[in-house]
Amino acid sequence: MQEYGLFIGGEWTDSSTGETFDDMNPATLENLAVLQVAGIDDVNRAVEAAKAGFELWSKTPPPKRAEVLFRAARIMQRQKEELASLMTQEMGKVLAETRGDVQEAIDITYYAAGEGRRMFGETTTSELRDKFCMTVLRPLGIVGLIAPWNFPIAIPAWKIMPALAAGNSIVFKPASDTPILAIKLVEILMEAGLPPGVINLVTGPGGTVGKAIVRHPDIRAISFTGSLETGKWIMGECAKAMKRVSLELGGKNPVIVMDDADLDLALDGVLWGAFGTTGQRCTATSRLILHEKVREEFTARLLAKTRTLRVGDGLLPETDVGPVINKAQLEKIERYVRIGQEEGATLLIGGKLIDPESSGLSGYFFEPTVFTDVGPDMRIAQEEIFGPVLSIITVSSFEEAIEVANNTQFGLSSAIYTENMGNAFRAVEQLETGITYVNAPTIGAEVHLPFGGVKGTGNGFREAGTDAIREFSEVKAVYIDYSGKLQKAQIDTD
Ligand code: NAP
């Protein structure tokens, strides 16, 4: 059994607690590795190492920092197949998707590396004579990065690479369900030449290790992706300490299929959005808002296609839908199916966990599930289930579709299928989400566009895209007076 340590100050070390935890393959329930449970002392050690790392890295010219990232991207490219296979074993999603996850990490690494030569500020004039004004970007300091399990390498890379390009040092805690891919990413950065102390990795439960990172006074900013509940707690703690915090939280993403939609296209998009990654994407389609005129035909075709989806181990080429991540998640999905039935929704297909005895599948598998007759205020239409469960809500107009789509506390991704260009543009204007797709599913972000949500999904920050570096930088205004005398702004007006 492979054992992994904590990574502090450029070295792999054991934790101070002496405790370990197992990392399990959700498709087979086999143990993949043994990990360290870090303690508060280890977080403190990681912060001390990050202080030394910051001294060095923040003074390294950004194009030089970028060279490390370019090398890391090339190493990842070389290891893509190996990383993807490992990820399927650790997290469960099918190989095509884990290859995509690694590719996303490669893309953001190249993107952030490119930003190394684009650390642009602004120059402007002064209201006074012989005075020059500009802005420069400065790193924040030590940043705490906390990631979820559903994109085991892409989400860490979305945080780590821009944070490094901007000159910060890092204390990173991956999700306890997917630590191996995080460790591989750190190994890649070290092979690429990142100096010791610049990235430090601590593994262990969010409730202790994550909390210690959030509360550490010398960590200047937290970047967190995970659930709304945890995000709210983190935001409260950071507010008390006046600490910067960027949050990427849950979703209840709607796809609208209008009566004028290309139904073949919409069908492929809905299936991929709802059941890709076993519905465990923050951008997964969990509500299908269907125009009543196409309700019967579209629902029949959706069911026929859902029936053909093959559930199984993501390593097998025939598998369409892999396992869910863990037992707690499996039980949560089961609970929501019961809630949906009790609320009066009609279960059309699925709704059960897959029995290991009769199926030969020993892991955490759940049938792709579709509900119809779902009311917009039912809990299955409001709360994030994070599994292969789709709720169909019928509407009779474009206006009603938008109203239903916006009737949620979340605001990450939305999609509309329509051939009416006016309605497509109106949807872009009116849907209250950070991302809107037209004639494409709710999933499929690209790294050069900003990623994030509104309302309960986030707190205004965006990851990747043009905002990637800003998330991890301070903007400083600089005034250079070469008049040789005291000039008073707003007072010396001549
Ligand atoms: P989670 O339970 O909130 O955990 C996320 C991370 O936070 C894990 O590393 C976890 O550690 C850690 N953590 C837990 N409690 C903590 C605390 N009190 N203080 C600090 N860290 C803590 O979320 P999850 O179930 O792993 O992830 C699924 C959620 O993430 C869904 O809601 C999904 O929508 C959201 N998500 C959002 C985006 C986006 O960009 N908007 C992307 C992907 C996922 P442990 O693993 O040790 O518990």
Side-chain angles (χ1 to χ4, degrees):
M1 178 76 54
Q2 181 80 43
E3 289 188 25
Y4 293 103
L6 310 175
F7 189 70
I8 298 176
E11 287 179 5
W12 295 98
T13 75
D14 287 343
S15 78
S16 59
T17 67
E19 292 168 30
T20 58
F21 66 101
D22 295 333
D23 185 13
M24 197 186 275
N25 179 337
T28 62
L29 308 192
E30 284 161 4
N31 271 353
L32 295 170
V34 174
L35 284 301
Q36 303 283 314
V37 175
I40 294 183
D41 286 350
D42 300 309
V43 173
N44 291 341
R45 276 201 296 141
V47 172
E48 288 310 309
K51 280 184 193 166
F54 182 71
E55 260 308 292
L56 183 76
W57 190 242
S58 60
K59 290 177 183 148
T60 304
K64 289 280 166 210
R65 294 179 204 146
E67 284 173 18
V68 174
L69 301 194
F70 277 122
R71 283 195 294 273
R74 286 196 288 272
I75 297 168
M76 255 187 271
Q77 251 170 337
R78 238 185 14 242
Q79 297 183 3
K80 182 171 170 181
E81 267 317 296
E82 192 186 320
L83 292 167
S85 161
L86 197 51
M87 194 189 303
T88 294
Q89 293 168 64
E90 190 180 35
M91 186 267 165
K93 60 189 172 186
V94 299
L95 265 179
E97 293 188 43
T98 52
R99 286 189 190 113
D101 196 312
V102 179
Q103 188 57 48
E104 206 169 327
I106 295 167
D107 292 346
I108 191 69
T109 307
Y110 275 125
Y111 183 83
E115 293 298 288
R117 285 195 182 267
R118 289 168 38 87
M119 296 283 170
F120 299 135
E122 293 168 337
T123 60
T124 184
T125 53
S126 168
E127 63 187 48
L128 296 162
R129 292 169 205 276
D130 296 331
K131 198 169 176 186
F132 178 80
C133 309
M134 62 182 171
T135 63
V136 293
L137 296 178
R138 297 295 308 148
L140 301 175
I142 305 172
V143 296
L145 309 181
I146 302 176
W149 45 264
N150 61 341
F151 280 80
I153 199 165
I155 290 180
W158 274 37
K159 296 181 186 302
I160 290 170
M161 302 308 172
L164 289 178
N168 302 282
S169 63
I170 293 170
V171 177
F172 166 39
K173 192 202 99 60
S176 298
D177 282 309
T178 54
I180 301 181
L181 264 292
I183 286 167
K184 293 289 158 197
L185 187 57
V186 169
E187 286 175 355
I188 287 166
L189 281 164
M190 298 319 286
E191 187 184 335
L194 192 69
V198 180
I199 187 161
N200 303 277
L201 172 137
V202 281
T203 50
T208 51
V209 184
K211 273 187 178 168
I213 292 174
V214 170
R215 286 181 166 153
H216 199 293
D218 295 334
I219 292 185
R220 289 304 318 138
I222 299 292
S223 176
F224 170 78
T225 300
S227 62
L228 174 61
E229 197 187 12
T230 311
K232 276 184 180 168
W233 180 82
I234 291 178
M235 192 159 173
E237 289 299 300
C238 290
K240 282 186 235 161
M242 291 297 286
K243 197 175 277 197
R244 181 186 289 203
V245 55
S246 63
L247 302 173
E248 294 293 345
L249 310 175
K252 195 68 197 172
N253 312 293
V255 57
I256 298 172
V257 177
M258 293 298 294
D259 52 340
D260 57 16
D262 174 337
L263 294 191
D264 293 329
L265 188 66
L267 191 56
D268 286 344
V270 170
L271 271 181
W272 174 230
F275 302 125
T277 324
T278 322
Q280 302 173 112
R281 289 193 187 214
C282 50
T283 52
T285 307
S286 55
R287 294 179 298 154
L288 165 57
I289 299 172
L290 191 54
H291 196 283
E292 61 184 5
K293 286 192 187 152
V294 290
R295 172 193 156 119
E296 219 168 294
E297 180 190 349
F298 194 80
T299 305
R301 290 176 65 183
L302 178 67
L303 289 188
K305 282 263 191 184
T306 305
R307 227 167 260 130
T308 66
L309 294 174
R310 287 155 304 187
V311 179
D313 188 330
L315 284 181
L316 302 174
E318 63 269 22
T319 300
D320 298 305
V321 181
V324 300
I325 188 70
N326 56 35
K327 191 152 184 270
Q329 194 54 32
L330 198 67
E331 289 168 357
K332 180 178 173 193
I333 298 167
E334 226 186 349
R335 206 164 52 244
Y336 271 104
V337 169
R338 270 201 309 277
I339 290 169
Q341 288 172 309
E342 281 160 18
E343 284 181 311
T346 307
L347 180 63
L348 290 175
I349 190 168
K352 291 197 293 293
L353 49 85
I354 295 177
D355 175 33
E357 302 265 306
S358 56
S359 66
L361 296 169
S362 49
Y364 304 128
F365 293 95
F366 203 88
E367 294 173 346
T369 298
V370 180
F371 276 107
T372 192
D373 303 322
V374 177
D377 293 321
M378 286 183 183
R379 285 183 65 191
I380 57 167
Q382 289 292 330
E383 295 169 23
E384 190 181 45
I385 301 172
F386 225 55
V389 181
L390 180 68
S391 294
I392 304 178
I393 304 170
T394 309
V395 293
S396 54
S397 67
F398 172 79
E399 290 71 23
E400 193 190 352
I402 297 288
E403 193 184 318
V404 168
N406 288 340
N407 176 28
T408 160
Q409 64 178 323
F410 295 110
L412 183 53
S413 182
S414 56
I416 181 164
Y417 282 86
T418 178
E419 295 296 297
N420 178 325
M421 201 172 65
N423 279 346
F425 272 92
R426 274 185 279 279
V428 169
E429 282 167 13
Q430 293 172 24
L431 286 168
E432 295 167 353
T433 50
I435 306 164
T436 293
Y437 295 90
V438 175
N439 292 331
T442 55
I443 63 182
E446 299 176 34
V447 304
H448 57 296
L449 276 89
F451 184 93
V454 304
K455 304 199 291 193
T457 296
N459 63 337
F461 279 90
R462 293 289 181 272
E463 295 201 306
T466 43
D467 286 18
I469 300 296
R470 290 287 166 128
E471 184 188 353
F472 295 105
S473 305
E474 296 285 6
V475 178
K476 173 179 271 197
V478 181
Y479 300 87
I480 299 172
D481 191 322
Y482 53 95
S483 68
K485 61 184 182 201
L486 173 65
Q487 299 199 87
K488 298 178 192 141
Q490 294 90 39
I491 295 171
D492 296 337
T493 49
D494 289 341

